[in-house]
Amino acid sequence: MWRNSPMQFVAWYCRRNNLWQGLAFAGALLLLLIPVQVCAWDVSGYLSVEGRGFLQQPLDSRQYDNDFSLALEPEFAREWDQGRQSFVFRPFARLDSKDDERSHWDIRELQWIYAGDGWETRLGIGKVYWGVTEAMHLVDIINQTDLVENIDGEDKLGQPMAKLSLERDWGTLDFFLLPYFRERSFPGVEGRPRSQPRIDPDLVFYESSREQKHLDYAARWSHYIGEWDIGLSYFHGTGRDPLFVPRRLRGGEIVLAPYYEIIDQISLDLQATLGEWLWKLEIMQRDSDSDRFTAATGGFEYTRVGIFDSDADLGVVAEFMLDERGDEASTPFNHDLFAGLRWTANDAQSLEILFGAIVDWENGSTLVNLEASRRFGQNYLLSVQMRGWLDTDRQDLQYGFRQDDYVQVELARYF
């Protein structure tokens, strides 16, 4: 019905999904239809191929053993008005061979930026990162997690926003209006790794009667004093971390329905740079109708520069993760320790290796992770990740991943 016209496709997409995403897609489509040379766009990005191999049989027979996918993330950027104004468009798309939910697209950024004297404004879809710790990001709350990309929570969906930044001698103030909520993405029936029982996003429900259209807002003050970097933040709106409610489908299968509450969150993040030592802390308090609790994560990273009289650096990372809800927390990392080693070759190929483990000091459940990357030439980056779950306690929220140990290899071509 829409094959003869791109605009017919946009109208169809608006009806099938929602007006905001449809308008964003229309803007993206318009940019793609404009010749790059006419508007003097700076074009960059990457195209990657990724493969995953699992080392055990899945708990659910509907899940796959091995998988591969293709991903594309170009960026179109332009500046004018002597650099005071700029525009950035960064779409993302992945095509997965097995999991239909992982075959998805998103607009990571689509925003206009105006930089004045001591102030800056951004309008559109953007990404914002808050926090300083390695293993867990407690205070990072603006963007929603794109969980189908990776369960480590590092990948984020683009967030519709209006942002105003004021730069003063006593620090930077950021104000956010967030007019539209993004639901977290979850692996499908065939997806892996995923929770057991699986999460069914079609059963989502909200505390707010406005659901995804609830107007959220946030503010942040950040500054540095000597060796200390400080961030103090406040957020009100739909919480990015859903609660999960068991539901029984008609066929008898038990699934989890995501429930999004309205929350208030205040948070503090600190980082001190003292020679070869980095000391880090994130602490937050969250208040909702269902609970009020405090959580914290923090630790240090010590880097020995030029080990064994070489160009390489070796870093030791140690962090604690604590949630006062204990075993009632919605995260498995509620009384855990992270320890890791980071080796950086500092060579022309930018070889890096990070190895670490998160251990629950009460039940012994352990998550082991290895990440390595190396450039080939000027344009290619090879990345390897290995992840495994050891001695996972039956009461631990990671118990559903106990047979999902995997190796992931990705080759990306940057342009």
Side-chain angles (χ1 to χ4, degrees), residues 342-383:
R342 189 196 314 273
W343 183 75
T344 306
N346 292 319
D347 58 358
Q349 291 76 37
S350 302
L351 176 62
E352 295 184 10
I353 300 174
L354 173 65
F355 174 77
I358 299 176
V359 182
D360 188 308
W361 67 65
E362 291 194 356
N363 62 38
S365 300
T366 302
L367 169 61
V368 179
N369 186 65
L370 172 68
E371 299 176 13
S373 62
R374 184 187 188 277
R375 286 197 303 108
F376 290 88
Q378 297 297 315
N379 303 110
Y380 291 90
L381 180 67
L382 179 66
S383 302

Side-chain angles (χ1 to χ4, degrees), residues 103-116:
S103 293
H104 69 299
W105 73 276
D106 182 46
I107 296 179
R108 301 304 202 207
E109 290 186 78
L110 179 65
Q111 58 183 333
W112 167 73
I113 306 161
Y114 186 93

Side-chain angles (χ1 to χ4, degrees), residues 212-224:
Q212 290 181 282
K213 297 177 183 178
H214 184 274
L215 180 62
D216 304 341
Y217 53 86
R220 177 175 171 85
W221 170 75
S222 57
H223 194 41
Y224 65 91

Side-chain angles (χ1 to χ4, degrees), residues 294-333:
T294 301
T297 179
F300 68 85
E301 181 169 354
Y302 172 76
T303 303
R304 184 68 176 177
V305 178
I307 59 171
F308 307 120
D309 296 323
S310 68
D311 294 329
D313 300 339
L314 181 64
V316 179
V317 187
E319 294 176 355
F320 71 89
M321 288 161 276
L322 185 63
D323 190 311
E324 70 173 353
R325 295 172 295 175
D327 292 333
E328 300 301 318
S330 58
T331 170
F333 308 120

Side-chain angles (χ1 to χ4, degrees), residues 99-297:
D99 186 0
D100 291 340
E101 295 298 326
R102 199 163 187 251
S103 293
H104 69 299
W105 73 276
D106 182 46
I107 296 179
R108 301 304 202 207
E109 290 186 78
L110 179 65
Q111 58 183 333
W112 167 73
I113 306 161
Y114 186 93
D117 295 329
W119 64 278
E120 180 187 87
T121 186
R122 294 172 177 253
L123 296 174
I125 300 173
K127 292 180 68 175
V128 174
Y129 175 74
W130 297 345
V132 293
T133 54
E134 176 73 33
M136 190 176 184
H137 311 300
L138 279 180
V139 307
D140 189 33
I141 196 171
I142 296 295
N143 290 84
Q144 179 61 274
T145 299
D146 191 356
L147 200 64
V148 296
E149 280 299 298
N150 199 310
I151 61 172
D152 61 10
E154 300 286 344
D155 296 278
K156 300 292 182 177
L157 299 171
Q159 171 62 49
M161 69 174 67
K163 177 186 176 184
L164 173 64
S165 299
L166 304 176
E167 296 183 4
R168 299 294 184 265
D169 293 338
W170 40 265
T172 300
L173 282 174
D174 295 322
F175 301 95
F176 300 85
L177 286 178
L178 311 169
Y180 186 81
F181 174 75
R182 303 294 309 280
E183 295 176 0
R184 180 168 295 185
S185 61
F186 296 103
V189 175
E190 302 87 357
R192 197 176 180 195
R194 66 161 168 81
S195 65
Q196 306 285 349
R198 67 181 179 90
I199 298 165
D200 190 341
D202 293 334
L203 301 178
V204 63
F205 62 111
Y206 293 82
E207 177 182 343
S208 171
S209 61
R210 293 185 58 81
E211 298 186 339
Q212 290 181 282
K213 297 177 183 178
H214 184 274
L215 180 62
D216 304 341
Y217 53 86
R220 177 175 171 85
W221 170 75
S222 57
H223 194 41
Y224 65 91
I225 301 174
E227 294 83 9
W228 291 85
D229 292 296
I230 308 170
L232 184 62
S233 310
Y234 171 73
F235 173 89
H236 171 82
T238 306
R240 273 47 180 167
D241 299 323
L243 303 178
F244 299 105
V245 180
R247 293 282 189 266
R248 184 183 296 273
L249 301 181
R250 285 187 176 181
E253 180 185 5
I254 300 296
V255 298
L256 301 176
Y259 170 59
Y260 293 98
E261 296 182 291
I262 298 297
I263 67 167
D264 289 277
Q265 177 174 305
I266 57 173
S267 62
L268 172 69
D269 55 275
L270 297 171
Q271 178 171 285
T273 305
L274 306 173
E276 296 179 328
W277 293 84
L278 282 179
W279 292 91
K280 308 175 181 183
L281 175 68
E282 296 185 23
I283 185 168
M284 67 88 167
Q285 184 177 80
R286 183 176 297 175
D287 192 9
S288 67
D289 282 349
S290 67
D291 205 354
R292 182 177 184 177
F293 67 94
T294 301
T297 179

